[in-house]
Amino acid sequence: LLKRMLSQAERVFCADADINEISLSFLEYLNQPYRYIANTHKHNAGVKAKEIFSLNKFMKALNKEDEYLVCCDSKTHAEIIGNLNMKQDYLLITSEGYYYSKTKTWNKDKIPPDLDSHKRVIFSPKIIYGLDSTMARPVYLYMKGRTISPVAMVQQLCRNRNITQLNYLFS
């Protein structure tokens, strides 16, 4: 069905950061002419990055922020960071759903929340692609390096399209 759709379509537009040799080879296999335009814009170029070397220092830095996005490669660590962050209201997003600390309630809906409607967001690998924030705020990255690939880590932190500072801890 995909071959037929691509062969019979008047035009096909493919747009994604992950267009690669395999997808281009498939078009060549179908004898479909194509024009590849590489997007060279790096929306987070020039953002300062700082490595943090302990969870204690990570939490101290986080608690000084009014707004932030925290990316974790572990549901457990996203929950730990949320539990250690008792002074501020936040939104926690995991495979279990969405937890609003202000109301202390879990929402099991499968509809993702609007990231920009919350000043402070913590999430697990539940979000890697698709859900974006345009709010200018710092991003914190807490990674164990066991559950998602480095490429997925970058995708995850780039959910914020307007990073003011990147702070990261590889545990």
Side-chain angles (χ1 to χ4, degrees), residues 70-90:
V70 178
C71 312
C72 301
D73 67 347
S74 159
K75 174 182 172 272
T76 302
H77 282 91
E79 291 169 341
I80 289 169
I81 290 168
N83 288 330
L84 290 173
N85 193 13
M86 299 300 229
K87 296 177 188 171
Q88 300 174 322
D89 295 327
Y90 61 89

Side-chain angles (χ1 to χ4, degrees), residues 30 62 99 101 158 163:
L30 295 175
L62 194 63
Y99 176 76
S101 67
C158 286
I163 299 171

Side-chain angles (χ1 to χ4, degrees), residues 5-29:
M5 285 175 23
L6 291 173
S7 297
Q8 294 176 357
E10 184 176 330
R11 290 179 196 236
V12 176
F13 290 89
C14 304
D16 195 273
D18 294 324
I19 291 178
N20 57 30
E21 289 298 318
I22 295 172
S23 55
L24 297 176
S25 296
F26 186 67
L27 292 173
E28 289 173 4
Y29 163 76

Side-chain angles (χ1 to χ4, degrees), residues 133-148:
S133 169
T134 57
M135 184 186 293
R137 61 179 154 192
V139 171
Y140 284 76
L141 186 69
Y142 184 92
M143 295 289 157
K144 298 281 289 176
R146 296 187 187 134
T147 56
I148 61 177

